[in-house]
Each structure stands twice: as C-alpha cells, then as structure tokens.
Amino acid sequence: MYFSVSSTGLLTLTSSTPIPFSLSVSNRRTIIVSSSISSPQQLNNNPNNNDNKTVTVVKFNYSRASPSIRWPNSKLSDLYPSTETHFSQNDVSVKKTQSLETPNETHKRNDEEEEEKERSEITRDSRSKMKFKRMNKLALEKEMNWRERVKMLTDRILGLKSDEFVGDVLEQHRVMMTPADFCFVVKSVGQTSWHRALELYECLNMQQWYAPNGRMVSTILGVLGKANQEEIAVEIFTKAESVIEDTVQVYNAMMGVYARNGNYDKVKEIFDLMRERECEPDIVSFNTLINAKVKSCAIVSGLAIQLLDEVGKFGLRPDIITYNTLISACSREANLKEAIVVFSDMETNRCQPDLWTYNAMISVYGRCGFALKAEHLFEELKSKGFSPDAVTYNSLLYAFSKEGNTKKVTDICNQMVKMGFGKDEMTYNTIIHMYGKQGRHDEALKLYRDMKLSKRNPDAVTYTVLIDLLGKASKIEEAAKVMSEMLDAGVKPTLHTYSALICAYAKVGRRAEAEETFNRMRESNIKADHLAYSVMLDFFLRFNEIKKAMVLYQEMIQEGFTLDNGIYEVMLPALVRENMGGVVERIVRDMEELSGMNPHDISSVLVTAGCYDHGAKMLKVAIRNGYELDREIFLSIMSSYSSSARYSEACELLEFFREHAPGDIQMITEALIIILCKAGKLDAALEEYRNRGGLGTFTSCTMYESLIQECLKSEQFEIASQLFSDMRFNGVEPSECLYLSMVSVYCRIGFPETAHNLLYHAEKNDIILDNLTVHIIDIVETYGKLKMWENAESIVENLRQKYSKIDRNVWNALIHAYAFSGCYERARAIFNTMMKDGPSPTVESVNGLLQALIVDGRLNELYVVIQELQDMDFKISKSSILLMLEAFAQAGNLFEVQKVYNGMKAAGYFPTMHLYRVMIGLLGRFKRVRDVKVMLNEMEEAGFKPDLQIFNSVLKLYSSIEEFKHMGDVYQRMQDAGLTPDEETYNTLITMYCRDHRPEEGLSLMHKMKSLDLEPKRDTYRSMIAAFSKQELYDQAEEIFEELRSNGYKLDRSFYHLMMKMYRTSGDHQKAENLVAMMKEAGIEPTTATMHMLMVSYGKSGQPEEADRVLKSLRTMGAVMDTLPYSSVIDAYLKKGDVKAGLEKLAEMKEAAIEPDHRIWTCFIRAASLSEEANDAINLLNALQGVGFDLPIRLLREKSESLVSEVDQCLDRLEHVEDNAAFNFVNALVDLLWAFELRATASWVFQLAIKKNIYRRDIFRVAEKDWGADFRKLSAGSALVGLTLWLDHMQDASLEGYPESPKSVVLITGTAEYNMVSLDSTLKACLWEMGSPFLPCKTRHGVLVAKAHSLRMWLKDSSFCMDLELKDSPNLPELNSMQLINGCFIRRGLVPAFHEITEKLKVVSPKKFSRLALLPDDKRSKVMQADVDGRKERLEKLKTADPRQVMKMKRIRKKKFIREAFEYQGNAIGKQRTFKPIAANKSIERERYDDR
C-alpha cells in the first residue's frame, strides 16, 4: 500500500490490484516457485479471510493524512485540524508497484472537486461580491451556519443505535436544510456508514417536501462506489435516470463506481450514454475514464499520449489530476519511458507539477533502478519550493533500498526523522524487504520487533514481506510463527500473504501444510491467483496425487488462468506414468485452443515433458505448416525411440522428415547416429554408420566424437581406434580433446607406440595440446606396465635432448616403469640422477624404489633402503610405510606387518581407514580374534567408524572359527551404523547359516539378496547345496542345482561331484549316473575321480556289480587307470561280503600293472577287521602280502619290536599323501587290532598317530584340568582305544587328586557315521555295559555328560575299572571279538543280550541296560518278563483310578522316568530326553530330520 497527496493537500490511501507471482521452470522440469515480491508495495491487503482463529478487524488509520502532520514545520494546525482518516479494510489493497495515485484516489479528488463546486453554489453570491464589496452580515452568517447544520444532523444520524431509524431523526429535526445541505449530510454519513447514508437517501426520497435532484444522486452514488456496492449503485442510477435531468455529476459518479473495480467497458458505456444524451463530459469525466483505462490494462507505449489527445479533441485541457493519474499509472507499471513522455507533455502544456507529480516521478525512477535520478528530482522539488512529505521520503527510500544501498537508506531515514517524520509502516516495510533480499533475516526480524515496540502496527504488507523472506530462506517455522502473530494481531492475511506461505512450504517440500494453507485461503473467500494454483498443482503432481491435480487444473481453466510451459512439463509426465493417454490428448487440445500455442511450441513442451509420441505428431503438423525442423526436438524424439528400441517408428519418422525436409537429410542421418550414441545404443549406431555411409560419406566431427566417446564408455577401445582411423582417412580433423582421448585409449589397450606416434603427428601439425606432459607420463607408465622399460627410457632420453630440464613427474614415471619389472638398480640410478642434477626426488620417487624391491621379491632389503634414505635426510612418508605394510600383508607376514604398524605409530603417523582395513583383514586371516577386537577399539578411539569392508572382514573371521553368535552381533552393529550389506556380506552370512546347519534361513537370505539385485557367489551356492545335503533336504538342494543350470551358470566339476555325493548319500544312484551325462553336455569331461564317486555310490547301496560296470566302461574308454576306481569296486565287493570278487579285482589290478597303494590296503584291512572269523581276515591280509604289503599280517602273527619302526616308516610315507591316507590307514589298522584282541598293539599305534599329528593331540584333555574328550572322526576301534586310555588317565588323576576335575565331564562322540559305523552308538554300548555314569546331554546330540563326583566314584569302585591296561591276547582268537550290528561296533558277547533287551523292553535307561546285560540269560528273561507284566498291571490300574490321582502319578512319572522323544525348538540343535540303545539312534536321527 502507499499514500498520495491530492490537489487539495489531503493525503489519500492508494489501493491497487494484486500482482502475480513468478513461476519459473528449470531445465530439469522441476518447477521452482518463488514470489516476485520485489517490494513491500507489491503486496495486497485482501481482507477476505475466514481463518479458524477469531480475527478482529482493525481499521487502518494513517495520522499523516492531515497536512498539519505531513508538514510539521509549517503552522497549519489552525487551517487543517489534525483528524484521523479511517478506511475500511475493503478499501485497502496494494498493487505490485508503489504508486502515488490510484483510481480510488482520483475518485476522491474528483469528489472533492464536486464538493468545491457545491460549496461555490451556496456561496456564489458571496464569492462574486468578494471581488467588489464586503460580504454583508446575513450572507456571512449563512456561510458560517451551513457547516454547523450539516455537522449536527450528521452526528445525530451516526449516533443512532442499531434498532433506531433515520426517519425518526428527520421527523424530529426542526432546522431548515437546503438540498445542498442534505447532500453534504449524506456524504458525511457515508464516510462512516454507507448503510445509514443509503437509509437517509431513501427516507428523503419518501418525503413529500423533498424533490430528487442530480446532486443528491451523484452524492449517494459516490458513497456506494467507495463502499464497493456496485449493484445498489446501478439500481439507484437506473431508477433516478428517468426522474432527474441529465447532469454531468451523476454520470461522473456512476462512472466512478465502475472505475473503482477497473471495469473500463462499463465506464466507456456510461461515457457514450452521456454523450448520446447530449450531456457534455467535463475534465472529471475524462479523468475517471482515464483511471478506468489505466486500471484495466497496462500502460503500453503511446497509450498515455493517446489518452491526452482524446481529452484535447473535446476542447478540454488536461489538468494536474489528469497528468498525475497517468504518471501514477506509469509508476505502478514501472513504465519509465511513458512516465517521461507524460511529464514532458505536462511541461510543454505549461501545467506546473505539484508535489504529487514529483512523488510519482521519484517513485517510477526508483522502481526502474535509477536511484540517482530519483535523488536529483528530490533536490529539484525542494529547489522549487515544495516541502517533501513522508511519501516523498519513502519513495526515495525505496529507490535506494532496491539497489541494496544500506548506507544511503540509513541516511535518508535519519534525514526523514530529522525533518520531523518518524519511521512509519511503509518505511519499516521497505527496509525489512531490503534486509530480506540481502539475506539479513535476523536484522529484518529485529526491525520487525522494533516496529512493534515503536507502536507502529505492522500491516498485511509487513507480515507478508516477512513471511516471504523467511520462506525464501527456508525458515519455515519462523514464517509460520509470523503468520500466527499476524492473525493474533487482527490483521487479515491477503492473497499475497497466503501465496508467500504456500511458496515457503513448497520450498521445503511440506505438502500437507501447503495444501492446508491453500484450503484455508479458499475458505476465506480469497480467490487463488496463478501462483497459488501453480504451486499446488506442482505439489500434487510431484506427490503423484493425480486426481487432486486434475481437479485443480480444471479450476484453473474455469477461472481463466493459462498454464505455463513448466506446469505442462511436470503434469504431462505424471499423466503418462499413470497411462492416462486420453487426458494427455485433452490437455494438448487445451494448449492449442485455450492457450493459443502453435504446433511447434506444443511439440517442444510435449518433448520436454517426455510425451514423445504426441510430440512427434505435433512436430509433423508443424513441419506440414511450414515450420523448420527443430534440431533439438528432433534429437530428443529420436533418443526416446532408440532408448525404447522403437527403431521402426524412428525410421518411419526419418522417412517423413526426408520427404518434407529434404535439405536436412545428412543432418538426419548423422543425428540418428548421435542419438543412438547418447541413448547408449552403440551397436545400432555402428550398424547405421556402416550401412548408410562409407569412407568419405560422413564429415561430422561431432558424430565421430560421439561414436568414439561411446566406445570409450563401453571400453570398446578397438572399435574406437578403427573409427578414429576412418575419421582421419575421411579428412576430418580431430579436435584437441579427441587427440588426447585417443592417446589415452592407445595407452589403455597396450599400444604405447601408437600413442607416442599420435603425439608426434599432433606436434608436427602444430596442434597445441594441453597437459602434454601428463600424456607423456601415461605413455611411459604404459611402457612400464608392459615391462618395456627400454622404450620408456628412450622417450625420457629424447626429452632430455630436447629440454634442458625434465619434469619431476616424468622421472617418477620412469622409476615406476623400472619398478614394474623389478629393476631396482636402474630405478636407483635415476633416483641418484635426480639427487645430483635435480629436480629433487619426492615421495613418489621413494615409493618407486620400494616398489621395485617388492616386485623383485626382495622384501628383506626394504629396511636397508629405508635406512639409507634416512641417512640421506629423507623423511619416510606415511605412504611409503603403507606400501611396505601392504607388501608384507600380501606376503602373509603378520610379524613384519605388526612391526611396521607399531613403528608407524611410533613415528607419529596416524593410521588411515585403508590401513585399518588391511590390518583387520590380515588379522582375520590368521584368526586373531583378540587382536581384531583391539584394532576395532583403537579405530573407534581414533574417530573412525568401521565401514562395510571392515565389518565383512570381521564376519569372515567369526565364520571361520564358527562363532556364529558373534556374527549376529556384528551384523546388528552394521545395521545400527546405517550400512547396507553388499554381496560379500550376504555371501558370508549365507555360508554361516550353512555351517550352522540352518540352510533354510540361508535360502531365505539368498532370496532377499536376489531381490536387491545382488548375485550370490558360486561358492555360496555350493555351500547351500552341501548344507541341504547334510540335512537330508535333497529336494531343496536339487532345486538350487537345477536353478543354476537353467539360469545358464557355467558350473565347474565340483558342483557335479557335490551332487553326486548327495545322490550317493540318498541312495538315488540313477540320478548320480545321469549327472555324468549332464557333465558331458556341459562340456565337462568326467575324470577318474568322478567315476570313482559314481562307483562309491553303487558300492554304498550294495550294488558292486554296477560299480564294476562303471569300471569296465572306464577301461573301454581308454582312461588312465589308477587305484582310485579299483578301490571303489573292491571296497563295494568286500562290504557286500563277496571276498572272491574282491580278490579277483586285486588280481586284475596286478595284471594291469597297477601297483596297489594305501587305498587298496585300507579296503582290505577294514574288511579284515569286520570278518567274523580269523581265517577270513588272514586270507584278506595274505592277499595284500601277495601284492607286496605284508605289514598287517605280520602285526597279527608276529610280536617283533622291529614292527614298531616299520609302522613308523609306513606312516611317514603316508603322512603327506592326499585323501587323508595316513588317517584312514591308522583307523582301519587300529580297528583290526582291537577286533582280534591285540589291544596293546592298537594302543601304541594309536599313540604313534597322535605323536605324528595324524590324530589330534587334544583327543582327551585330563592334564589340562578339563577332563573332557573328543573322539569325533575316529573309527570305532580307535575310539574304544582312546576311551580306555582316557578312563585310565582319569582314574589316575582321581586317585592322585591332581589335576582336579570340573563339576561335570563331557565326552563328545558326534553324530556322524564312519564307514557305516556310528561312533555315538558304539561308545554308548561300551560305557553303559560297564555301568558308567555317562548320560546323553539334554541340549546337544552326540554329547555324553557325567557328574565328576559320580565318575570318580565309578572309576574307583567299578569292577570294570579295576584293570584298564590294554593287553595283547597271547593267541589269535578264532572269532572276531567285535560285531557290527545296525551301525554299532559292539562286543560279540553282548549281542544276544542286546537283541533280547531291545525286542522285549524296546526302551530302557542306561543303568537298567547295564544291569540286565550282566545277568545270566535265564534270569534276564524272568526279570524282563516281570517288568513287562508290571507295566501292564499299572496300566490297568490307571484305567480305574481317580483322574486326580492319575494326574498326580503322571507328574511323578515325568520326574522319575525319561520319556522317549527328541524335541526341537526353532534352530536349536535339539534336546535328547531318552536313551534308546544303539539301533534306535539311527531311526531317531532320521525322525529329527523329518521333523525339521
């Protein structure tokens, strides 16, 4: 808002229409919303607000409306008493530029002119006589009394209550009033209440003594016009038109009503009507008409002069109001050119400018950025005797604030205050806005607080400016707070206020608040402008709320708004994403019909928005209508077609363009190739290049560069080289950039000679290349990588001859070239040259020397070179130390790595993140858990946070040591750190699940991994298959294998072997044989090991004949045979009991000149250990003796001490043979010796195996105060030997009291089978026959636990423990002392008792089994029968017993007896709660897997 001075000296309030905000569109199709409030005067105080908060309407008052206040230095208080002029909020509005006069002000001035005329009529006689004679007493009394009469009646009417009427006042009023008096009363009342003024008018018309007149009609029309009551004014004018004579004042008043709302057409209609009725318009009529015209449209060039000429045509002379109206309009529009023209015409016609004129000119100069010119006019008006008022100072203040001249603004403010003008609302608003543009938001807010403290009430302009500048600074909370303060202060937000807040919310992306503000604005009956609609439409589109967006779009169309191109470019892609093609077509029609856009512009918008099909159609229309082919639109459309592989449509469009744009054929073809390159379709571009052109056809350097650059991106360097050759052949000169790119290409593909030649060619043609030294360094380094250090040496030598000084980086590149070949001495020579002749070596030079030693494998000399460099005053850099550390890390030398690391820290170098990665990775490889934890703590103390690579290294560490719980903790830490797992993380976790026997969870994680577009490693798939196979989940394993094959993975031989092992375990031998055919189809030839696995599969299933058939097929194929396939067949025959066939195969081997090795020995020894009779065993061992291996038979028959050394030598030979040869041989040999009661011999063989690390040294750990034992992977005989020795050690420790035992002793047996023998069942049978206190663990399978006290007592008191010494039988027994029954290697004498117990009692406890096994046969039968009868009797009693008693007995039974079951919870190993002797274990194990 702003204020202006009328010709009578009264200050009037100027209101204007709202200004639009700017809506700009970026190249990225993102709508950037910003309010174009360039000044506080641009805001609109729209009162229509209906917020949720209760807002009290605060009427605006401006004390400087009185001249006595405007010019405080002048003594005007007597002539102009200080009064406050009040305006309703409906009259207050602001346009986008500060103006010193608006149409409303002109109306006011015109009204004042009418008032003066009326007054002149009353006192015309007096005024006429004043020139000639003095006024008589009666005339003077008349002149003084009319004001009192008007004031008295006005006060009485305004003092009426709401339920009282004006008519009563008229009836009681006894003072004589003239018609002119009543006109002044209506006008005075109307200034406060247009309702009472209208009531007075109607009452007067109903009085018989009152006759209507034109003056009264014009007066009431003026009142209604000021109150924006256009409809009532039109009704009064229509009624009065027929009863009063045609007077110019009535028509002027009606024109003023329309002019207030900018309705120029209606004003012109009244003007023409007035002329038709031969009522001559006066200057007021023309001023009103001009006001309406400039208010309805912008001042274009020549319009002002045209309007002035219209006034002259009617014989009238423009007055000061006419000129001021036009200049004020130019000021609003910031139209300096027209303002100068009007001002010049004013001076030409000798119309003296007044203060209003100067204020308007100062304003327009200030708005157009001519602050100095505005200041010049300011000085001019003072020189002409005018006293600047507050409006003058504020206009000048605004001029310098727009330039951001803070100093000048401050000076003007000080001068203004010095002249008696305090800072008013306009002053504060202007300075606040200036601070906002300068980003000094805190000072703007401070000024706002000062404004409130100085009792200046912030108006809508103030609040809007603050909200706008805070929103632009993204201080949305402060902006919202200002809005709340605005509402609390009773100031109604305007359209611009809401728009500024919506823009603020838009900038920070707070859609909900923006939408709420928009709805609140509409609920307040404030119509949204283009900016508000555009912002909300952009919001809805960005948040994919298409329905709301389309509703808002329809509202904009109905309101007559035209969308900007930026809105279309955001809306159209959203509609395309939602497949709303029909809506897109409708919008295209709107663009053409409503917006008036031509086909070319529509096509540009559509293409920019990504609607390429519609854009192509409109482009065709544009071409048909004569528009030229737009290259950018064409390229965008072709790029769309190529990226979506729509080559046929692209060709069709090309043909159309070739037909209708024949002058652009070459451009079309070259453009197509360029577009294909931009779209990443290099193959299609190359095909187009080859098919449509040849040598000499294409001459576009851009096309060649596009092809070459795209080849470089896809690393197709050979094709790039060929294209470059074509380019040079066609005479197209490459650019400098392309020269350098091709030098890099030739270096990357390993052709440094060609790169060197290219540089020579460029130099020969006087082509100046930037950074030539850099590319020479690339060539030297490439020679070095290719180990062609001689060529690199030659280049540097040529440089030395050409230039006096060589760049240090070139020397360093040569040193590194030597380093790649490990030429330390040559690198050292260059280093010495640099030391001697300069430039001095750098860290890179030192690193090159160290790298040369590292490549040459001379790590031990690194310390020597470091010492030499230190002696030469070189400080060893951190990078050099890191280079050494990484070299030792790659060599796996942990000691040296730690040594270098500690030395680096001692030297004051802080470790880097990369160094921590190297250290943690190396420590993880060596399974140094504690050191890794220390390193992590040190890293966090140094301020580094572990990254994904470090977490992966820690996960691998814990996975390698099977600490799966810690892996979960590490993974949780990784998630807490906000890191996203990568392929390595997922692969490690899946492997962990597989090792932890939880393949289902691993498979679930693998599916999640694939959903994230991460591909598992082949080793991960292999682990999954192996884990499912171990858990007997064969279907899942087979699914994974088939998935790999169907997805085209190239599987190696290990996958097929793994699947063959699984089929062998599951007994599906046909599938195992089918795998051989699959391998051949995949191009993988089966090896001997493959056929061995197939034969083992048949042998395990008891089909040695099939295994023999496979062996024969191998021989038929001419495969190189060794003992592996023969051992499979022989082992199958021997396990089936077909000794004869096994011996025949041994003889066949001998005939084939295949020397039997450890595999054959182990097969025969194992078969002998399971032979029922000693003669059968001897026959098998004699067969071995026949082929040259007599050690086993001699161990059975001889008792020579020399056998010890022979066994030792044999184990030495087998110790380093693959396939665990020594381990399998010892297991079989100890089984044989134990079975035929050579147990002392078995004991020393067992202990010899431990001594040679064939067996683990920690099989039993009595000496370590653990007393535990772990017999996993041992054979049954070895486990029994180890058990006896373990018990003996524990017995000694128990008797001696040292070492002390723990509270419980654990024996780990494992659940696996070794050659169809269950170690768990074998040890249980042995221990429980002896009556040991060992019981199955309740939480783990394959674990036996005994309380230490019970174990010690049993070792002291049990008869079985009286003599634990292992001895050899003096004579070889005729029968084997052991027997294999259902996977249990049990004592032969225990077999009948075992059968009887398991058949009759099914399930017994360990103690009961021991007691029954030791009873005689007849007594055992009676005891078991009595037990069975007792069970039946108890069951019968339970049937007739009290239910409560039954429940009590059940609870007791649960405590007393152990139930038969395995219970599992989640992924737990399981809970063993019963003992089922020997054979039952296998079935229970199978049930375990079935349950899972």
Side-chain angles (χ1 to χ4, degrees), residues 179 182-183 201 203-213 216:
F182 281 115
C183 290
Y201 172 79
C203 289
L204 289 172
N205 285 334
M206 290 188 296
Q207 301 298 324
Q208 294 181 357
W209 48 265
Y210 181 79
N213 58 81
M216 176 61 74

Side-chain angles (χ1 to χ4, degrees), residues 876-893:
I876 305 304
S877 67
K878 187 176 181 179
S879 61
S880 302
I881 297 175
L882 290 176
L883 187 65
M884 293 174 56
L885 191 145
E886 289 184 6
F888 285 120
Q890 290 178 359
N893 193 334

Side-chain angles (χ1 to χ4, degrees), residues 650-661:
C651 292
E652 181 181 348
L653 191 62
L654 279 173
E655 292 300 328
F656 174 83
F657 289 137
R658 283 175 179 165
E659 181 180 352
H660 294 82

